[in-house]
Amino acid sequence: MKYTIAVIRGDGIGPEIVDGACRVLDAVAKKFGHTFEYRDALMGGAALDAAGVPLPQETVDICRAADGVLLGAVGGPKWDTAAPELRPEAGLLALRKALGLYANLRPAVVYDCLVKASPLKCKILRRGVDIMVVRELTGGIYFGERGGDDTRAYDTEAYSRGEIERIARKAFDVAMLRGRRVVSVDKANVLASSKLWRKVVREVAADYPDVTLTHMYVDNAAMQLALDPAQFDVIVTANMFGDILSDLAGAVTGSIGMLASASLSESGPGLYEPIHGSAPDLAGRDAANPCAAILSAAMLLRLSLGLTKEADAVEAAVRRVLEQGVRTADIATADTATADSAVEGETVVGCREMARRIAEEI
Ligand code: IPM
Ligand code: MG
């Protein structure tokens, strides 16, 4: 089959990791007899430089016409002083809104062979960590009314019943395919929007008798993620809480360079991107970890193209290459900063070589 994939390479390490992911997709195409047609599109800093806006209309059109969108990362110090609506991040938020990407799935998994990369004690991780954060992505404080001047400024958190219902449904659907446990995270002891959130999530839960629902306040959820991450299966939460908790969940796995994400709409193409940023300090040095982008491409295969075998093959290839001891610097046990790189059984490689090995495994 032939599929069209919109490719937004972005800024910083974005182009390098996306090239790695495309190399792996090419290996999938060859092995399984598909054709992936890539259509490049600009967003973020690259778009500001080329077109003066962070999200050109052409990019939205290319994405809408594609079967899925693969994104590297956007942003960098060069554009940090731009006006708020001209920051690279504004492009990403506008694209999420334009494509209606209300559901953000962020898996946080600890790979057995990477347990040492986690900042948590082995004792805490031994139970195995496999969390799916389901973050509401097109509502809440990110898109609420805001304003202000030099003396006072405000942002508003508002959620409608419909917005809560559809993200809750998505979380329960995801849970049915996993451990069938949902923790809904809110601040219902303080916020009116959280009170409605809790009520609606409870109502949706009635349609899923096989799923266990519990509620947790966001401050406690942060503590629980650090103390006992293995207790979680699916976490469903609002845009801002999800932004914060998914970084925390990612950090406990010890390898933010490994973490993929999918952003899904009701019917159009999904967008797939690593949860890490554009890491300007690593850009152009062939030092980034392409795994998050490669695993994002696997999610694209699975969720937007329906190519299950192919997605499994990519995930298995990543796992095997890690089991062979191949590491980019961010997940190496050795402290490369102090040149202590002689850890037995580990080979530290660059971004290109990591992607090449994963493609070769496929
Ligand atoms: C994320 C990022 C974005 C967000 C930024 C870049 C706007 O932190 O995808 O988690 O806050 O959603
Ligand atoms: Mg974030």
Side-chain angles (χ1 to χ4, degrees), residues 124-131 181 224-225 227-233:
I124 292 177
L125 291 178
R126 222 177 15 229
R127 292 174 55 206
V129 176
D130 182 355
I131 304 170
R181 284 180 294 122
Q224 296 299 327
L225 273 169
L227 290 178
D228 180 19
Q231 71 182 283
F232 295 101
D233 175 28

Side-chain angles (χ1 to χ4, degrees), residues 101-180:
L101 304 171
Y102 73 96
N104 184 213
L105 310 188
R106 297 188 162 185
V109 179
V110 174
Y111 288 77
D112 286 342
C113 59
L114 293 183
V115 161
K116 283 201 210 117
S118 171
L120 297 190
K121 292 187 184 116
C122 288
K123 170 173 106 196
I124 292 177
L125 291 178
R126 222 177 15 229
R127 292 174 55 206
V129 176
D130 182 355
I131 304 170
M132 180 68 86
V133 178
V134 179
R135 167 189 177 195
E136 199 292 322
L137 201 61
T138 49
I141 199 164
Y142 273 62
F143 294 95
E145 190 193 322
R146 60 169 56 100
D149 52 33
D150 275 352
T151 51
R152 186 175 171 275
Y154 66 95
D155 302 272
T156 26
E157 170 92 350
Y159 269 111
S160 68
R161 170 173 279 276
E163 284 174 316
I164 303 167
E165 229 171 72
R166 65 178 179 179
I167 192 69
R169 226 162 260 294
K170 176 61 80 181
F172 283 103
D173 287 340
V174 167
M176 285 296 287
L177 304 172
R178 301 173 38 104
R180 302 191 171 194

Side-chain angles (χ1 to χ4, degrees), residues 92 96 104-109 131-135 137 242-247 249 259-263 273-276 299:
L92 179 57
R96 288 173 179 168
N104 184 213
L105 310 188
R106 297 188 162 185
V109 179
I131 304 170
M132 180 68 86
V133 178
V134 179
R135 167 189 177 195
L137 201 61
D243 178 44
I244 299 165
L245 292 182
S246 61
D247 265 33
L259 302 175
S261 81
S263 302
E273 58 171 322
I275 82 156
H276 62 68
M299 290 186 91

Side-chain angles (χ1 to χ4, degrees), residues 113 291 315-327 345 347 349 353-362:
C113 59
C291 287
E315 286 166 2
V318 169
R319 209 171 271 276
R320 277 198 303 276
V321 167
L322 292 174
E323 278 161 8
Q324 290 157 15
V326 183
R327 302 280 187 272
T347 319
V349 300
E353 176 63 8
M354 182 59 122
R356 191 192 67 76
R357 293 205 188 203
I358 293 167
E360 195 179 85
E361 259 321 297
I362 287 168

